[in-house]
Amino acid sequence: FYDSNTGRPLFVAPRGRSLDEFIQESKSHGWPSFRDEEVIWENVRCLPDGEAVSVDGTHLGHNIPDFSGSRYCINIVSVAGTNPGTDE
């Protein structure tokens, strides 16, 4: 999942869970939901108020923790970018 403004990689999913688990959790919340191990922390920051942003300032969504820990609920438009190394 890449920053829609810069193309930087932001999230890798699924990681630490199955694709079905990632899809199920995302569908149940209505937006892609990532866990700590799926965040590329070199390119993502979580602000004190829970807002998730890219290091370039793109608003991504919010951290809405649940019983399993941090859950980053991300606006799909914010991560709809492509890898700048591809022609996609």
Side-chain angles (χ1 to χ4, degrees):
F1 295 86
Y2 297 91
D3 188 310
S4 58
N5 291 311
T6 67
R8 284 185 198 255
L10 302 172
F11 302 95
V12 177
R15 186 179 279 169
R17 58 182 169 164
S18 72
L19 179 60
D20 286 341
E21 290 169 325
F22 171 73
I23 291 171
Q24 175 63 32
E25 181 174 75
S26 295
K27 282 184 174 181
S28 71
H29 295 290
W31 45 66
S33 296
F34 299 95
R35 297 296 176 161
D36 281 326
E37 60 270 15
E38 297 169 324
V39 179
I40 301 174
W41 288 110
E42 295 81 23
N43 299 327
V44 176
R45 298 292 178 264
C46 190
L47 303 179
D49 65 357
E51 180 184 8
V53 297
S54 74
V55 294
D56 297 300
T58 304
H59 170 80
L60 302 175
H62 293 87
N63 179 17
I64 304 172
D66 66 6
F67 63 90
S68 296
S70 290
R71 184 180 79 230
Y72 304 93
C73 300
I74 304 301
N75 184 331
I76 191 66
V77 173
S78 301
V79 293
T82 58
N83 180 338
T86 67
D87 292 332
E88 297 177 19

